[in-house]
Amino acid sequence: MMRILATLHSRLMLWIGIGWSVLVIATLAFTYLTGSELIRQANISHLNYEASLIARQVDRSIEQRIEALQHLADQVSPHLPARSDESLIANPPLLALFDRLALISRDGKITASYPHLESLSDVDVTDREYFRFARALGRPYVSDPLVSRGSGRPFVMVTVPIKDAEGRFNGQLVGAVSVETSSFFDSLRHIRIGTDGFASLISASGTVLSHPKNSRLMDVYENQNGEGLLDMALLGWQGAGQGVMADGRQSLEAYAQAWNAGWVVKVVRPMSQVQAPIGQLVEKLWWVGLVTILLMLPLLWWLLKLALGSLHRLEHQIGQVASGDRKRVDIHTRMSELSQLATTFNRLEVQREEATASLSERQAFLDAVLASSPVGMFVASPAGEIQYINPALADLIGYEGENHPDIDWVSHIHAEDRNDFVDLWRDAIRYGRDFLRQVRYLPSQGEVLWLEVHVGQVLKQGALLGHVGTVKDITLRREQEALQLWEAEHDPLTGLLNRRGFERRLEEAFIEWQQRDQQSVLMIFDLDHFKPINDEGGHALGDEMLRAIANAITPLVRKNDYVARQGGDEFAILMPSCTLVQARTVSGRLLQTVSDLYVSAEGKDYRVTLSLGAASFLDTDAAIDEILVRADDASYEAKRKGRNQIIESLASA
């Protein structure tokens, strides 16, 4: 594949093919998105129309039933006080609208039912909502679905009040419509919107009255805190939007209000069905685009081959110039770009020959300068590869070969300095920065050298030509600096850290405590009975005791712990990453070890003990002075309590 794409012809074909494919895909995507939105809006309008149409049908049907009941109630009203039998409400035509009729007295007793059902006689319905509503408001009412006490089936009750001559409530006439078998609800179940779309009817309380699936009847909708479309519809909203069906599919839903009954009509259509037409259109357009691409590629291949013929001839002549078979390119073409390219190439070739001659002279001069320089120097390529080192640098690093660039420079750098050196060198090359670094260098023979390497860029009119570096031997300077640093932070008598060096490390431990919650323990102790040694044996004997104590306590602590002589006979130990509990073993050994030491003068042995105070960092510490004070106070307390003991400071003073 890489060999095929190595030619300009193939690459142009590839990019044209990719561009055409992107254009086709973008067109299809735009068509799909635009068409999807148009189809969505069209379906929303259609669903809104369907929902409002069904709502009007429901309203008319409810209104028809209320009018029929009202007409019958007007006939029953004059006779209700005198008669209460089935003949009053026997009306066969109304059975086309209702499954059952019932006459209820003013005190809530069913006095008659048609068709007659003995189990309903004298049933008390005063606890029913439809009775209380009609009695309180005196107007027709459509109830929420309820389960009949006679049959145990769900019904919707349509009621109209019966009034006496003075307009007072005298009972009510009730028409029952079965939720399961009534043609009123059954007709809604068979409505289909497309293939899988359907309509359903929901009461004001969220109970399903009509649904294509009988198993959903009488299901109670669970409120979604006003966030769902149905929540808003139950509050009186009408409109359409996107929702989710019971099986998890996305859908478009439209809602309309059947105001006479207070019901909500819901019309649903799956999004997969809504988007099906645009999907089919995009699929057809995809095949058209694919066929077009396949037909265009051979034609494009032939046209590009004709257009690139002159370019191939130019390429051939440039190759001949490079191999020395010809001096200049000479191509005849109608393409002005190729003619200008040939002219520019010939001009550059002349300049290259002149520059090569000048460069040879400059290179000879530079080689002479570098070879005579007493300072170690090297030259590197723009990529950072060493190309030349002068004799002074070769002598410095102890290399006697002639092929200097083959030296494995990195392997001779000390392991502790190598990674930082390489990373900084690569960073300087990448971002065009000067490079300055001090490293330890391991020559093939001899001792480790400290070298200071300084590298700068060689630029010409902003173009990077390479890098030039100097290398100095700073071994002696580093040794002197190291000695000065050691002397500045160490006690000359014992070789331990002095107060300055110790407090610097205590500051570092305090920073670790603040940043990483890494606890440390500070122990401070001075020597008990040390004064008699100086007074009786002299300062030389005192110095001998101090050196003996330093040599004895150093092996008792860890390698990363710090031991210091603060001055006089006062010592300190810092134990990073340690707690007071963990430090108790070390402090006990210190007490025992020092008490076993002695020095002798004029036949007399002198011994000392320790009064040791220990403390750790606290959350309230703002500086190292606070832990120093706590440890020092604990040391004095140990001395006051009889010496030769350990006191741990557990809180701030």
Side-chain angles (χ1 to χ4, degrees):
M1 178 60 70
M2 295 303 296
R3 186 177 299 175
I4 294 175
L5 296 179
T7 64
L8 178 61
H9 189 184
S10 301
R11 293 186 180 183
L12 287 174
M13 281 298 303
L14 174 64
W15 290 115
I16 291 174
I18 292 175
W20 186 263
S21 300
V22 170
L23 178 62
V24 170
I25 293 173
T27 302
L28 292 177
F30 178 77
T31 301
Y32 180 80
L33 295 176
T34 305
S36 295
E37 184 59 25
L38 291 175
I39 288 178
R40 183 176 180 275
Q41 294 299 327
N43 274 269
I44 286 177
S45 298
H46 175 67
L47 291 179
N48 275 327
Y49 173 75
E50 290 286 347
S52 61
L53 183 63
I54 294 172
R56 286 197 297 271
Q57 291 176 349
V58 172
D59 273 339
R60 284 196 298 270
S61 179
I62 293 297
E63 185 177 359
Q64 178 185 8
R65 284 165 170 76
I66 291 175
E67 289 176 352
L69 284 178
Q70 189 66 60
H71 179 72
L72 181 58
D74 292 341
Q75 298 174 5
V76 171
S77 180
H79 308 285
L80 187 59
R83 298 181 58 196
S84 302
D85 55 29
E86 281 71 9
S87 62
L88 291 176
I89 60 173
N91 193 324
L94 281 183
L95 294 183
L97 301 177
F98 299 99
D99 292 281
R100 186 171 303 281
L101 299 174
L103 186 63
I104 302 174
S105 65
R106 68 164 60 94
D107 57 357
K109 297 292 182 65
I110 298 178
T111 59
S113 61
Y114 180 78
H116 178 69
L117 188 63
E118 189 65 33
S119 60
L120 294 178
S121 297
D122 292 326
V123 172
D124 188 352
V125 295
T126 54
D127 60 333
R128 294 293 194 179
E129 179 186 5
Y130 62 85
F131 176 79
R132 296 198 303 269
F133 186 92
R135 182 174 61 182
L137 300 181
R139 60 183 175 84
Y141 174 69
V142 180
S143 74
D144 268 352
L146 51 86
V147 177
S148 171
R149 292 171 176 170
S151 63
R153 294 186 299 168
F155 286 89
V156 170
M157 301 300 184
V158 181
T159 70
V160 295
I162 300 174
K163 300 180 181 180
D164 58 17
E166 285 77 21
R168 293 173 298 184
F169 179 75
N170 197 31
Q172 65 181 177
L173 187 61
V174 180
V177 181
S178 173
V179 174
E180 297 175 342
T181 61
S182 172
S183 60
F184 174 76
F185 295 110
D186 190 58
S187 61
L188 293 177
R189 297 190 190 105
H190 293 88
I191 294 177
R192 288 293 179 270
I193 312 299
T195 304
D196 297 328
F198 61 88
S200 61
L201 188 62
I202 302 167
S203 73
S205 63
T207 304
V208 178
L209 300 174
S210 175
H211 195 279
K213 295 181 179 179
N214 290 332
S215 59
R216 295 292 305 279
L217 295 180
M218 297 301 291
D219 281 356
V220 178
Y221 173 74
E222 295 182 2
N223 187 279
Q224 298 180 1
N225 298 323
E227 298 178 0
L229 297 179
L230 182 54
D231 283 336
M232 296 188 295
L234 292 175
L235 296 175
W237 172 78
Q238 299 185 107
Q242 193 163 335
V244 181
M245 300 175 65
D247 57 5
R249 290 183 295 169
Q250 295 290 322
S251 64
L252 285 182
E253 301 175 354
Y255 295 88
Q257 301 291 332
W259 299 108
N260 285 337
W263 295 341
V264 175
V265 174
K266 176 181 178 181
V267 179
V268 180
R269 192 176 190 190
M271 287 298 295
S272 59
Q273 182 180 340
V274 172
Q275 301 293 348
I278 190 64
Q280 295 172 359
L281 174 61
V282 170
E283 183 179 359
K284 292 178 181 178
L285 291 177
W286 167 254
W287 285 110
V288 171
L290 181 61
V291 171
T292 303
I293 292 174
L294 294 178
L295 293 177
M296 286 287 293
L297 288 179
L299 178 61
L300 289 172
W301 181 274
W302 180 70
L303 291 175
L304 286 174
K305 191 172 184 64
L306 291 178
L308 295 175
S310 298
L311 184 61
H312 290 315
R313 291 193 296 274
L314 177 61
E315 177 192 5
H316 178 67
Q317 291 188 18
I318 290 175
Q320 290 179 322
V321 172
S323 63
D325 295 337
R326 60 187 303 150
K327 298 292 291 182
R328 303 287 182 269
V329 297
D330 184 16
I331 185 170
H332 302 283
T333 177
R334 296 179 181 178
M335 297 177 63
S336 60
E337 292 85 355
L338 289 182
S339 297
Q340 293 174 3
L341 179 60
T343 301
T344 303
F345 177 81
N346 288 332
R347 184 170 62 251
L348 291 175
E349 181 63 18
V350 173
Q351 295 175 356
R352 186 187 66 82
E353 292 173 353
E354 295 174 353
T356 300
S358 176
L359 183 61
S360 298
E361 296 176 359
R362 293 182 181 182
Q363 184 65 44
F365 177 76
L366 178 61
D367 290 344
V369 171
L370 293 176
S372 61
S373 173
V375 178
M377 301 182 67
F378 66 90
V379 177
S381 69
E385 299 174 351
I386 304 298
Q387 296 177 325
Y388 170 82
I389 66 172
N390 69 347
L393 180 55
D395 292 341
L396 177 62
I397 63 177
Y399 185 75
E400 299 178 354
E402 297 181 357
N403 194 8
H404 303 313
D406 288 343
I407 300 175
D408 186 6
W409 303 89
V410 176
S411 65
H412 287 272
I413 298 175
H414 195 283
E416 295 180 1
D417 302 337
R418 188 178 304 148
N419 291 335
D420 287 343
F421 182 90
V422 172
D423 290 342
L424 291 173
W425 174 247
R426 290 174 178 171
D427 184 73
I429 297 297
R430 184 182 300 112
Y431 297 106
R433 303 191 183 104
D434 284 351
F435 177 84
L436 179 62
R437 187 70 174 175
Q438 296 178 354
V439 295
R440 286 166 288 181
Y441 190 83
L442 308 173
S444 301
Q445 297 178 354
E447 298 180 352
V448 177
L449 300 176
W450 271 99
L451 302 180
E452 183 178 80
V453 183
H454 187 195
V455 185
Q457 292 182 312
V458 179
L459 301 173
K460 182 179 181 181
Q461 297 179 351
L464 178 63
L465 302 181
H467 301 83
V468 173
T470 60
V471 182
K472 299 179 182 178
D473 183 1
I474 60 170
T475 305
L476 180 60
R477 190 180 80 190
R478 291 287 301 206
E479 290 175 351
Q480 292 174 345
E481 291 174 352
L483 179 60
Q484 291 172 356
L485 179 62
W486 190 92
E487 290 176 346
E489 293 190 343
H490 287 77
D491 174 45
L493 175 64
T494 61
L496 301 178
L497 288 170
N498 59 19
R499 181 180 297 274
R500 175 184 175 184
F502 185 75
E503 288 186 355
R504 182 173 70 84
R505 286 156 179 81
L506 185 58
E507 287 278 5
E508 294 172 353
F510 183 62
I511 293 173
E512 289 290 322
W513 161 247
Q514 290 181 315
Q515 294 179 347
R516 300 184 178 87
D517 200 24
Q518 180 174 295
Q519 186 58 269
S520 297
V521 171
L522 171 65
M523 291 187 289
I524 294 179
F525 61 88
D526 57 11
L527 306 181
D528 306 324
H529 314 298
F530 181 72
K531 189 172 183 302
I533 299 178
N534 277 335
D535 293 344
E536 299 176 11
H539 288 287
L541 186 63
D543 290 348
E544 182 182 348
M545 173 59 80
L546 293 175
R547 283 193 294 269
I549 291 175
N551 294 333
I553 65 176
T554 300
L556 300 180
V557 299
R558 302 169 302 178
K559 291 183 178 180
N560 62 328
D561 295 337
Y562 302 103
V563 183
R565 180 190 174 206
Q566 299 278 72
D569 63 339
E570 182 179 325
F571 292 78
I573 298 175
L574 174 63
M575 302 182 70
S577 301
C578 184
T579 64
L580 285 172
V581 174
Q582 295 169 334
R584 286 171 184 167
T585 301
V586 174
S587 59
R589 291 175 182 172
L590 289 171
L591 213 66
Q592 181 61 44
T593 300
V594 171
S595 65
D596 291 340
L597 293 176
Y598 66 91
V599 292
S600 301
E602 297 180 359
K604 182 179 180 180
D605 293 338
Y606 294 90
R607 298 179 182 271
V608 294
T609 57
L610 302 183
S611 293
L612 187 147
S616 60
F617 289 117
L618 298 176
D619 293 335
T620 56
D621 288 343
I624 63 171
D625 292 341
E626 299 182 33
I627 189 175
L628 283 169
V629 169
R630 290 199 304 276
D632 199 40
D633 289 347
S635 173
Y636 280 117
E637 184 178 355
K639 191 175 290 291
R640 287 194 302 269
K641 289 185 176 182
R643 299 183 175 89
N644 193 27
Q645 58 182 293
I646 301 166
I647 298 296
E648 295 179 356
S649 175
L650 302 178
S652 59

